[in-house]
Amino acid sequence: MEIKKTSKRILTCTLAALMLAGAAVSMPAVIPQSSLTVSAAQTYGDFEYEVKNNEVTITSYKGSGKTVTIPSTIGGKKVTAISYSTFGCCESFESISIPASVSFIEGYLFNSCSRLKEINVSQDNKNYCSFDGVLYNKDKTTLICCPCSKKNITIFNGVKKLENLSFSRCKSLTEIKIPDSVTNIGEQTFSECENLKEITIPKNVSVISNYAFFNCVNLTDINVSSANKDFTSYDGALYDKNKTTLICCPGAKTNVTLPDGVTNIPCYSFTGCPKLKSVRLPDSLKKIISFAFYNCKSLTSINIPDSITSIENNAFYNCENLKSVYIPKSVKNIGEKAFGFYNLSGSVTNDSIRKVDGFVIKGEKSSEAEKYAKENGFKFVAQIALSSVTLNKTAMSLGKGETTKLTATVAPSNAADKTVTWRTSDSKVLTVDKNGNVKAAGTGTAWITARTINGKEKSCRITVKNAPSKVTISKGTVTIGVGEKFTVGSAVPDGSAAAKRTYRTSNSSIVKMTRTDWQGDFVGVKPGTAYVTVKTYNGKESTCKVTVRSAPSSVTISKKAMTLKVGQTASLSCSVPSGSGCASRTFRTSNSSVVKMTKTNWTGSFKAVKPGVAYVTVRTYNGKESSCKITVTK
């Protein structure tokens, strides 16, 4: 993989515009320095031209017609070149024809021609050709320029390179499919394609040069073929394959979460993102480089983790809506105008540089944050650093469409700012709002993470399964006594889940619920019949019939005495008087070295261990007892 450094030819004006312009950053001034050396300008019809070595270079067009035809000769001299400046202000013509004589066309030639629909090239031209109105080199391996008014184009399958600025300012372009033959995407290739919403990088692309998608303000997703070996996408943004370097963030993004492992966000990474409001930086990041968030005028929130040691010059310059920031004590360097400054106008003078009104820096006392605030005249608010965050749940399952709420607790409790932000690792599986309310959007597994202002995190692993088609309560019928407590659970089919299950009673004067979530706990109040019903989040129900009878006045064990040999097993049951109820009956042994219990509820099962005498006793919920004498022999 190669991420190309921007050439001097294109960056001559680009960086100056980015670093100095205070007004909204539109397409930077990227007109290259001309490589042509020619004589003084002369006029031929609507053209201006210059001559060198007996060959003509077209330098300017002054006409207003809808079609333009480049002459093949002027004054008997062959027209061999067209300078980049020729059509700099031409927005009237819709088509252009290039003769066979032209052997050199400078880049950025038609990027201001907003109505241009097609570029035609003579079939006899040995250097260039056109396909579907688009300009290519002769063998169609390099796409040189797409007419600005094109909405949809088919790139010739065989093209290997998209030349620098080849689609720049194609503001009508809404969609494009890049063929698998492409390996190289040049500098600012799609810059200012403001109606482009989505794009996919094919499998063979190994070079993406700087600012390839700069200021694509409606681009929501940059997708990458799963077969590509050099690049990948995460949450719609473009990264190297290992997700260590952010290459491009789509201009339409409002909230961005950089994945764990990112160590590099280059200069101007977010400059073309005018809608960006908040960013989550990972703990793997050590510094925020100069101009990384330059001109993000919608940015209102940034979390700086305590892995950051340096924030370089102008990192957040011109972020005029960023009103406050917490800077952890780990930051040892804050560069000039890193925060709190913006330009009032397009020209940069001492009068145009302004401070963000009411800008507040938060941090610990005697920190670099406090020093920066004092040196630049900003308000400083001292805060105790947060040391940890915990969640009420760290793992759970949900059914598709189900909702739940996660609660975060931060420490220490006397920290001044306990703000926690939430994020999901996969919005197609789980969504989460600013209050920790989670919704299962699709099946799969994802993590919901709570993050403090200084980067402390805790996650909950959530598996989303199908919504349950039914629910089955653990008991269909049960008889209990007055005052007796009982619990029912429930189950959903394999492959489904329902974290939210609520239990209710049909008559609280007979059966009173004492717990209604996940399991149903209830108590018998008076004799009668009531129904306990469980209901899932998606409305599936199952019911248990509960009969309440009088509390038992006694209990009778099934045998009063028995003899067993060592190793033998036996069971005992019991009964209560007619008209009474008792679901909870427990059995115990008086000497487990002689008789060992193997079952203690409802019936009592046991095993003879060694010779001796022990008593097995049954006890009801209200304390009534009955015993059997067990004699164990060899």
Side-chain angles (χ1 to χ4, degrees), residues 196-199 216-222 235-237 250-253:
L196 187 63
K197 295 183 178 180
E198 188 173 353
I199 195 165
C216 294
V217 295
N218 286 303
L219 185 63
T220 58
D221 290 291
I222 302 174
D235 193 28
K253 286 290 185 183

Side-chain angles (χ1 to χ4, degrees), residues 36-50:
L36 298 172
T37 302
V38 288
S39 59
Q42 302 177 58
T43 301
Y44 176 80
D46 292 328
F47 297 99
E48 288 185 357
Y49 67 96
E50 295 171 344

Side-chain angles (χ1 to χ4, degrees), residues 370-502:
E370 183 177 21
K371 178 184 176 182
Y372 180 83
K374 289 180 178 179
E375 288 179 349
N376 291 281
F378 296 125
K379 181 180 178 180
F380 178 76
V381 176
Q383 293 187 337
I384 298 173
L386 294 168
S387 60
S388 66
V389 58
T390 57
L391 293 179
N392 60 322
K393 295 178 181 178
T394 56
M396 63 185 305
S397 293
L398 296 175
K400 186 176 179 181
E402 189 171 7
T403 60
T404 192
K405 181 176 176 62
L406 294 178
T407 302
T409 303
V410 298
S413 59
N414 62 343
D417 193 336
K418 301 184 182 70
T419 302
V420 170
T421 57
W422 297 87
R423 76 177 191 277
T424 177
S425 64
D426 190 342
S427 59
K428 294 180 180 178
V429 176
L430 298 169
T431 62
V432 63
D433 68 11
K434 63 180 181 180
N435 298 314
N437 294 307
V438 179
K439 184 174 182 180
T443 57
T445 298
W447 285 259
I448 297 295
T449 301
R451 181 183 176 90
T452 66
I453 60 171
N454 63 333
K456 304 300 181 183
E457 294 186 342
K458 193 67 176 180
S459 298
C460 177
R461 183 178 186 271
I462 300 178
T463 299
V464 180
K465 300 180 180 181
N466 293 322
S469 57
K470 65 179 181 177
V471 62
T472 304
I473 205 162
S474 58
K475 288 280 187 179
T477 61
V478 65
T479 299
I480 62 175
V482 172
E484 185 173 7
K485 296 177 180 178
F486 198 83
T487 297
V488 290
S490 59
V492 296
D494 289 344
S496 64
K500 186 177 181 180
R501 307 178 194 185
T502 55

Side-chain angles (χ1 to χ4, degrees), residues 202-220:
K203 63 181 180 180
N204 293 316
V205 171
S206 59
V207 176
I208 299 178
S209 298
N210 291 345
Y211 316 118
F213 303 98
F214 179 82
N215 233 27
C216 294
V217 295
N218 286 303
L219 185 63
T220 58

Side-chain angles (χ1 to χ4, degrees), residues 68 144 156 162 227 289 308 342 376 388 393 418 507 578 612:
V68 174
I144 297 170
F156 180 77
L162 305 182
I289 205 163
I308 298 294
Y342 72 100
N376 291 281
S388 66
K393 295 178 181 178
K418 301 184 182 70
N507 191 333
S578 177

